[in-house]
């Protein structure tokens, strides 16, 4: 083992003495076990990471139970949302390099045999991946999971439920709040409405709920083979996430035993798989920047032209906020990342033989976890149908009260913070399957001798009979039901209500026996009105068929794809000789219509020399419909640090200009950016790129189908301007000054030169 360097031989007695002092060596037998690093990114500063202290301790316990000796260390983390709109954003991208160096330093100094990485938000994931590729010891990634979507509006449709259990009629997320700033500025919403958004848009811990950079990278880890199925889509507040941590602990010991390392997994073909998923799901443009950097550390020759080729031939199958009203919890309900990969498999484009941390190939993982696959496991269907987001209380009421926000009871506490009875999850899955009209998934949860009683004298025994009986009940209710976990005289039951036109028409209690992992008592109950009154609702299923959810719209097929090419595109041209990136999935139909049939946008440029200047100018009304907003001197070197442009892009949308203007920048965008926003323009202004030669009023032409971005200036005019051009220099000290000297441009991944 690699750890023998620090623990074997008489000359290592001092080393062993120090290791004993850590408390991590619990017996002499531990010297014969693999030393496993747990690279955690816990910090109170980031909501996606605030829960990772508990997660780290859980993973530590699980690694020890699996046969390893765990050691936790932590990395830094910058919250892009909190750092947005001020000088703190200058440190966001540079933090990636610090994280990579930190993890590398710990692994090499302490000679670990394997590593579990617990990241969540966007710079931390690629930073850890870069280090994993450098050091190349067995590694598995298991993130903290995405945040649940917020509740923008509730409608009291169920008189028998408490206010916090009423269904959401509209969802929200962090982008809703950024847009809300612009909407408030233009008088579209009141201060009270903005406050409501602020208080409810981010209801739980976890990475922000849309297809922003953090979630995009966590999803890409599944396709790259470095993370387990479900890593990108199982909510942080789901009990199911605990099962993922447990599996990751077992996997890392298996990887060490087999000596299966990151560079064995992250091959050229695996990176192709990851980028195919990226463009199919319309991920963040930042994934291009990060993937190029990770590939370089893996020794893989990857460039932006290869990404361009992939984006031209892979259709856009999925749109998630801000590109649609779907969120990661919906993607999970629809089948998760491996169902998107399943659609790509059916196209015949994936490299299916690539190894993954499961020890199986990507193709084998897809077979198991793509719920549209004929050979997927019944458990996969049951997991997916639950949505992994139940606002549930344990049947034994161990979880305590639902957490309170400033505006009321809207947010659940993370389930894994409490020792919830794992049997509750099984019953919740059953409720979810019934709610979703999936009799097969519900029946799969029953043991071979399972039974279900709906009324006195009507009992179905065995999964086959149960499925037939459930389907009959679902047909009777026309699939429009609400299934809730409830308590009756201290025993858990399912309260099922049938609705038509939003009104309750009938209710019944389902009492089960011999459900997997849970045998429920034999007491049955009359279903009269009095019985219902005696029940106590413990939670509401996250998805409500009253509002209907079509998983084949959330994750589309190649026949129903949003577009024949991908949700990300690389644009070249006079203004971007080395490339630029746009999230085409985030461009609205209204903007396309304004462009005309050729999908070409042309207009005069309004130039801002920094993001701060752009934010002030946009809110002051300096941008009009038909303009091309140019934000420059925000590239890797010019910023330095390549600031994200979520604030200005959200203000544009919030002020009603999202369908009427385009934006180009040598900076980058948050995954939360929507609209015709082209970033990563290379070369950047600070290194003499053409974007730095533009003057206010110059006309810019963006040809989306032909993937070009040009000014209408002649080459001679640009050459003349370049003769007198001078770079904008900002006084810097400390880390940013060193970073500026070493960083390369965006088309190379914004990495540091040697």
């Amino acid at each position: 083992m690699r750890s023998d360097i620090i623990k074997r031989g008489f000359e290592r007695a001092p080393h062993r003495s120090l290791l004993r002092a850590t408390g991590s060596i619990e017996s002499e037998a531990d010297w014969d076990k693999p030393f496993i690093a747990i690279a955690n990114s816990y910090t109170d500063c980031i909501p996606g990471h605030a829960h990772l202290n508990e997660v780290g301790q859980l993973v530590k316990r699980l690694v020890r139970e699996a046969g390893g000796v765990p050691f936790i260390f932590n990395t830094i983390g910058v919250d892009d949302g909190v750092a947005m709109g001020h000088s703190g954003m200058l440190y966001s991208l540079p933090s990636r390099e610090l994280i990579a160096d930190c993890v590398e330093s710990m692994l090499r100094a302490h000679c670990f045999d394997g590593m579990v990485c617990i990241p969540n938000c966007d710079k931390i994931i690629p930073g850890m991946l870069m280090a994993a590729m450098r050091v190349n010891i067995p590694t598995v990634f298991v993130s903290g999971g995405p945040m649940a979507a917020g509740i923008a509006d509730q409608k009291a449709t169920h008189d028998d439920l408490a206010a916090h259990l009423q269904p959401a009629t509209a969802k929200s997320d962090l982008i809703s709040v950024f847009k809300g700033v612009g909407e408030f500025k233009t008088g579209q919403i009141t201060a009270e409405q903005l406050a409501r958004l602020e208080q409810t848009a981010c209801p739980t811990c976890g990475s922000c709920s849309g297809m922003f950079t953090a979630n995009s990278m966590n999803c890409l880890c599944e396709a790259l083979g470095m993370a387990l199925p479900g890593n990108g889509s199982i909510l942080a507040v789901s009990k199911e996430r605990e099962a993922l941590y447990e599996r990751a602990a077992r996997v890392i010991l298996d990887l060490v035993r087999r000596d299966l390392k990151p560079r064995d997994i992250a091959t050229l073909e695996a990176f192709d798989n990851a980028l195919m998923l990226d463009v199919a799901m319309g991920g963040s443009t930042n994934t291009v920047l990060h993937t190029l950097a990770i590939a370089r550390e893996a020794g893989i020759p990857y460039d932006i032209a290869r990404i361009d080729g992939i984006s031209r031939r892979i259709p856009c199958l999925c749109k998630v906020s801000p590109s649609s009203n779907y969120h990661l919890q919906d993607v999970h309900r629809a089948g998760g990342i491996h169902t998107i990969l399943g659609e790509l498999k059916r196209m015949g484009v994936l490299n299916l033989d690539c190894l993954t941390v499961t020890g199986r190939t990507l193709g084998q993982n897809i077979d198991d976890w793509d719920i549209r696959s004929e050979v997927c496991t019944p458990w996969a269907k049951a997991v997916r149908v639950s949505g992994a987001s139940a606002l549930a209380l344990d049947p034994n009421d161990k979880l305590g009260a639902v957490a309170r926000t400033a505006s009321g009871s809207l947010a659940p506490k993370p389930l894994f913070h409490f020792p919830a009875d794992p049997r509750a999850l099984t019953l919740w899955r059953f409720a979810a399957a019934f709610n979703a009209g999936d009799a097969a998934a519900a029946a799969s949860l029953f043991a071979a001798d399972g039974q279900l009683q709906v009324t006195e004298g009507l009992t179905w025994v065995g999964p086959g009979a149960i499925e037939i009986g459930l389907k009959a009940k679902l047909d009777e209710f026309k699939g429009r039901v609400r299934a809730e976990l409830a308590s009756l005289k201290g025993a858990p039951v399912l309260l099922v209500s049938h609705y038509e036109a939003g009104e309750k028409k009938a209710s019944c209690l389902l009492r089960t026996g011999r459900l997997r992992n849970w045998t429920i008592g034999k007491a049955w109950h009359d279903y009269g009105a009095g019985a219902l009154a005696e029940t106590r609702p413990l939670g509401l299923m996250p998805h409500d068929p009253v509002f209907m959810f079509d998983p084949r719209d959330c994750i589309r097929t190649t026949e129903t794809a949003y577009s024949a090419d991908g949700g990300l595109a690389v644009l070249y041209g006079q203004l971007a000789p080395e490339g630029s990136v746009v999230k085409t999935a985030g461009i609205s139909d209204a903007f396309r219509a304004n462009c005309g049939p050729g999908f070409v946008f042309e207009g005069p440029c309004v130039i801002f020399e920094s993001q701060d200047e752009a934010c002030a100018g946009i809110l002051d009304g300096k941008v009009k419909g038909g303009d091309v907003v140019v934000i420059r001197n925000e590239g890797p070197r010019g910023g330095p640090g390549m600031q994200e442009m979520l604030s200005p892009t959200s203000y544009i949308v919030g002020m009603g200009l999202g369908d009427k203007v385009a934006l180009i920048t040598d900076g980058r965008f948050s995954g939360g950016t929507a609209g015709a926003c082209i970033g990563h323009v290379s070369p950047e202004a600070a290194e003499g790129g053409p974007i730095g030669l533009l003057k206010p009023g110059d006309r810019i032409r963006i040809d989306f189908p032909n993937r070009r971005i040009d000014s209408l200036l002649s080459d001679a005019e640009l050459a003349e301007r370049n003769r007198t051009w001078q770079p904008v220099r900002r006084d810097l000290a400390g880390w940013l000054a060193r970073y500026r000297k070493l960083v390369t441009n965006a088309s190379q991944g914004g990495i540091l030169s040697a």
Side-chain angles (χ1 to χ4, degrees), residues 150-199:
I151 299 173
D153 189 29
Q154 287 178 294
K155 189 176 181 181
T157 58
H158 308 284
D159 295 337
D160 55 334
L161 295 181
H164 66 279
L165 297 179
Q166 297 291 347
T169 56
K171 292 180 289 188
S172 59
D173 53 35
L174 178 64
I175 308 310
S176 306
V177 192
F178 273 101
K179 291 179 182 176
V181 174
E183 292 168 340
F184 175 72
K185 177 69 175 181
T186 55
Q188 299 176 62
I189 63 173
T190 65
E192 290 75 17
Q193 290 172 309
L194 180 60
R196 163 83 184 180
L197 282 172
E198 175 191 332
Q199 295 162 0

Side-chain angles (χ1 to χ4, degrees), residues 211 219 222-223 232-233 277 281 331 335-342 384:
M211 193 59 80
C219 292
E222 293 189 42
S233 60
L277 170 69
M281 69 183 187
V331 174
I337 297 308
H338 276 64
T339 294
I340 301 176
L341 292 171
R384 300 306 187 194

